[in-house]
Amino acid sequence: MESDREAPWWKRTTVYQIYPRSFADSDGDGVGDLRGVIGKLDYLAWLGVETLWLSPFWESPQADFGYDVSDHYAIAPEYGGLDDFRALVREVHARGLKLVFDMVLNHTSDRHPWFLESRASRQSARRDWYIWRDGRKPGGRAPPNNWRSMLGGSGWRWDEASGQWYFASFLGFQPDLNYRNPAVKAAMLDVVRFWLREGVDGLRLDIFNALFKDASFADNPFSWRPAPTEDDPHGFFQRHVHTIDHPDTLAFARELRAVVDAIGDESATPRFLVGEVFGDAKTLRRYCGEAADGLHLVFLFQTLRTRFHGGAVRALIEEIEGAFPEPFSPTYVFGNHDRPRFIHRVDASLEKAKLLATLQLTVRGVPFVYYGEEIGMENHDAPLHEGLDPIAARFEWVPSWLVPAFKARGILLNRDECRAPMQWDAGPNAGFTPPTVTPWLPMHPRSAALNVAAQQDDPTSLLRCYRCLLALRRALPALQSGRLEWLDRVEHVRLPDDVVAFRRVLGDEHVAVFLNFASHTIRIRPREGAGSPRALTLLSNRRGTRMPTAETYALGAHEGVVVWDARPRA
Ligand code: ISL
């Protein structure tokens, strides 16, 4: 099917994730806030990203830094108030950008008034808002069944006062809501409607795959898998068939879609949903609905682990293209607030990072860029016992010599490491917070070298490379919604495995992309890729926008080029 020139905005957009606590501090308390984000909107518009996703900033004890909501209608005071939120929406929209929120549907904080009431007694009117069960005999002191949390260990927590267990898919202070209770579903859909009507353009759905648990409460079956991975969430020696990817969760994806579409119709602005779900590409696709009537997008985390190798990258794109053909749209994610920063997968090489950025911003799908990726921000290594992240405390028993092995597998046991404050300039505290203030997490020691101000002035920087690519993508509809064709199939262009070569096609517009993953030069015939003798090389991640005129082009080590041709083809 020909890709649509009028594809909805959310399929064509580029997303930039902001972790509000770490982005910019406007009031000098060491914690980033909404006014801080507003102050950086001109930077984001300059950079050229189109949609901003903010991690949670609702009222919360901050035990999981906002992923433990205690009031869905109030903003945590350290981030600002409702007026600041409304100003943010206004200012974002005034720049032609869009705003996406995190929506934590699965659980609340254990200090949410709903849970306090639910926990108060077995007779409480809200008892059934969470998942409570009697334990097994003797004395009910054994958990009701073998269901594990996503972090390993039993997901059940004992409540001494009422003598029952409640279920928590993540940490114990994040009790799961009971979606089998219609009142819960209605209350959470009201939250969704409220914020969308406030002008939010889309929602990122936290651990959406865990929403419904099986009503039978039967044990999960045994499995030999020790630990979950991005493309297979089963592990801790069981298949989580009764706790994740439940058919009722898939049905709920469609119900939620209808709610969100209805709000889009009310205001003539379509909104979108992107789900945090785990599994192989085919499993994830099911969340989008067979008739594309479920979640608009899902994160594809396999991109987090792919090796820096042409063959591996091609295999990844082929898998994704196979599972998400039009009208579905894949996503390309290299990092987020839970994962090791992606620069370490390319040996902290800014040149290799430019090549991956070229891939991410030219391949078919919605790119998600985590704040600081555009300047090559690095993990800020810290021992587990220093972590503010609750995961760090949970894994404190892991010996320090084992931690790098987890990291290499894409697992951060102390997620503070990827949440260091944004590096704006070379000054003390890197412009994140005033020099005399102690930031909530220590600044990265390399902030003086690696920061926005330095890279803004340097035309060869990673930041300027992102900016060029984003500008090109905004200018060329083929890069936003064109179909993807492999050059060796359509043009019989023969290239070594190290070169990933495809083109994006929309109507008469052809944009060819050549990405050299090798650390040596490879000759290509760029015009062949674009199909026209008048093709122009628009951009190289190494040489900026210089256009080669020769028939062949020496594609340098880790160089990517984008070649454009708008001539109708014979
Ligand atoms: O953090 C992880 C591993 O250490 C991830 O596997 C994480 O469990 C998974 O991505 C779910 O994360 C989401 O829900 C959590 C929250 O802490 C994360 O920040 C959020 O992205 C609970 O709400």
Side-chain angles (χ1 to χ4, degrees):
M1 187 207 289
E2 177 67 13
S3 298
D4 188 354
R5 208 166 259 279
E6 298 305 316
W9 69 268
W10 53 266
K11 274 182 132 176
R12 290 180 279 122
T13 198
T14 47
V15 186
Y16 184 92
Q17 183 191 355
I18 293 175
Y19 196 66
R21 213 174 175 78
S22 297
F23 200 58
D25 172 19
S26 74
D27 59 1
D29 62 357
V31 172
D33 47 50
L34 298 186
R35 288 273 160 201
V37 175
I38 294 173
K40 297 299 181 186
L41 291 178
D42 286 340
Y43 162 73
L44 294 164
W46 171 87
L47 175 60
V49 289
E50 293 151 285
T51 296
L52 311 179
W53 152 30
L54 268 68
S55 285
F57 47 83
W58 290 280
E59 189 77 58
S60 156
Q62 305 294 340
D64 190 13
F65 299 112
Y67 286 94
D68 48 333
V69 178
S70 56
D71 183 346
H72 294 94
Y73 293 99
I75 287 162
E78 58 263 61
Y79 297 127
L82 204 54
D83 285 351
D84 300 307
F85 162 75
R86 290 190 173 133
L88 176 67
V89 174
R90 240 186 356 260
E91 294 293 323
V92 165
H93 288 162
R95 287 166 180 79
L97 307 176
K98 305 275 191 193
L99 186 65
V100 168
F101 255 29
D102 231 294
M103 187 55 65
V104 190
L105 294 174
N106 181 68
H107 49 267
T108 66
S109 159
D110 61 355
R111 302 223 222 128
H112 193 295
W114 294 343
F115 188 71
L116 296 178
E117 200 181 327
S118 178
R119 183 176 217 166
S121 93
R122 289 188 186 213
Q123 285 70 46
S124 157
R126 287 203 207 270
R127 187 66 167 179
D128 198 30
W129 278 49
Y130 294 84
I131 303 170
W132 289 98
R133 301 290 285 178
D134 287 331
R136 280 171 297 169
K137 306 292 172 204
R141 289 302 186 122
N145 59 30
N146 72 351
W147 292 356
R148 297 213 190 287
S149 85
M150 288 182 168
L151 299 167
S154 174
W156 293 99
R157 307 288 156 153
W158 173 247
D159 179 55
E160 186 66 46
S162 64
Q164 275 192 316
W165 298 78
Y166 67 87
F167 190 72
S169 290
F170 207 69
L171 289 159
F173 58 78
Q174 291 160 311
D176 282 23
L177 284 162
N178 174 16
Y179 275 83
R180 299 200 177 276
N181 179 343
V184 169
K185 200 154 82 169
M188 290 310 291
L189 289 178
D190 280 348
V191 172
V192 165
R193 288 192 191 93
F194 175 83
W195 289 109
L196 292 178
R197 288 193 176 123
E198 281 283 336
V200 173
D201 300 292
L203 301 172
R204 175 266 185 193
L205 305 168
D206 192 64
I207 50 171
F208 189 79
N209 59 340
L211 239 53
F212 278 83
K213 269 58 73 170
D214 198 74
S216 72
F217 288 91
D219 275 351
N220 277 329
F222 176 80
S223 136
W224 285 107
R225 267 181 81 74
T229 52
E230 286 82 17
D231 49 3
D232 186 348
H234 301 286
F236 307 120
F237 300 101
Q238 62 182 233
R239 290 181 44 72
H240 306 267
V241 293
H242 298 311
T243 40
I244 56 176
D245 296 337
H246 196 281
D248 294 339
T249 305
L250 295 166
F252 184 65
R254 294 194 296 277
E255 194 177 335
L256 193 58
R257 167 71 175 256
V259 168
V260 169
D261 281 352
I263 305 260
D265 292 345
E266 259 173 34
S267 55
T269 314
R271 315 297 169 91
F272 82 92
L273 298 165
V274 53
E276 188 197 31
V277 286
F278 303 92
D280 60 29
K282 286 213 172 66
T283 308
L284 300 185
R285 228 290 296 289
R286 291 196 295 151
Y287 281 92
C288 301
E290 281 315 312
D293 56 352
L295 306 184
H296 301 73
L297 300 169
V298 289
F299 290 128
L300 303 179
F301 291 125
Q302 15 296 78
T303 44
L304 290 167
R305 292 269 304 276
T306 305
R307 281 179 304 125
F308 188 86
H309 176 269
V313 167
R314 174 158 177 159
L316 171 80
I317 301 173
E318 280 184 328
E319 184 198 347
I320 289 177
E321 281 291 301
F324 289 83
E326 280 288 338
F328 300 99
S329 184
T331 56
Y332 280 81
V333 184
F334 289 160
N336 65 27
H337 61 291
D338 297 329
R339 306 294 174 144
R341 283 198 172 266
F342 98 99
I343 196 80
H344 298 289
R345 294 209 320 277
V346 293
D347 319 313
S349 153
L350 297 177
E351 293 310 313
K352 289 183 182 174
K354 285 180 191 169
L355 187 65
L356 285 189
T358 312
L359 164 72
Q360 189 187 27
L361 296 173
T362 58
V363 72
R364 190 182 76 88
V366 178
F368 283 75
V369 176
Y370 181 49
Y371 84 92
E373 260 171 28
E374 75 274 28
I375 53 169
M377 265 178 73
E378 299 174 358
N379 284 337
H380 193 179
D381 295 342
L384 292 175
H385 69 268
E386 280 177 16
L388 303 182
D389 175 18
I391 302 273
R394 188 177 169 125
F395 290 103
E396 225 180 302
W397 54 269
V398 175
S400 53
W401 57 266
L402 247 186
V403 171
F406 279 90
K407 250 183 235 177
R409 290 177 59 96
I411 300 169
L412 265 190
L413 298 181
N414 177 6
R415 297 175 299 177
D416 293 356
E417 294 187 6
C418 66
R419 298 172 180 176
M422 179 68 175
Q423 295 156 200
W424 295 104
D425 59 39
N429 286 339
F432 164 70
T433 191
T436 51
V437 173
T438 307
W440 80 282
L441 280 178
M443 302 306 303
H444 195 286
R446 291 204 60 214
S447 63
L450 225 48
N451 61 67
V452 170
Q455 294 197 24
Q456 266 181 323
D457 290 341
D458 173 3
T460 68
S461 66
L462 179 59
L463 177 62
R464 294 277 291 267
C465 177
Y466 268 96
R467 182 167 186 256
C468 266
L469 287 161
L470 285 160
L472 198 60
R473 190 179 166 109
R474 286 197 315 281
L476 298 179
L479 285 184
Q480 300 160 19
S481 54
R483 65 177 183 272
L484 183 142
E485 294 175 349
W486 294 106
L487 286 181
D488 56 359
R489 293 201 193 133
V490 290
E491 295 267 353
H492 307 293
V493 176
R494 301 236 171 280
L495 288 164
D497 258 10
D498 289 320
V499 178
V500 173
F502 56 82
R503 72 180 177 197
R504 304 286 310 280
V505 179
L506 186 67
D508 294 338
E509 189 174 88
H510 290 226
V511 180
V513 179
F514 297 85
L515 306 167
N516 182 9
F517 283 81
S519 42
H520 56 265
T521 300
I522 293 174
R523 292 211 155 263
I524 57 164
R525 299 169 63 85
R527 292 170 179 194
E528 218 171 342
S532 153
R534 289 198 294 147
L536 298 177
T537 297
L538 282 188
L539 181 135
S540 149
N541 65 344
R542 307 221 29 192
R543 301 166 210 220
T545 48
R546 177 132 50 95
M547 298 171 198
T549 48
E551 270 298 297
T552 62
Y553 183 75
L555 198 60
H558 309 142
E559 181 171 3
V561 293
V562 184
V563 183
W564 177 70
D565 166 26
R567 241 175 40 137
R569 297 169 65 74

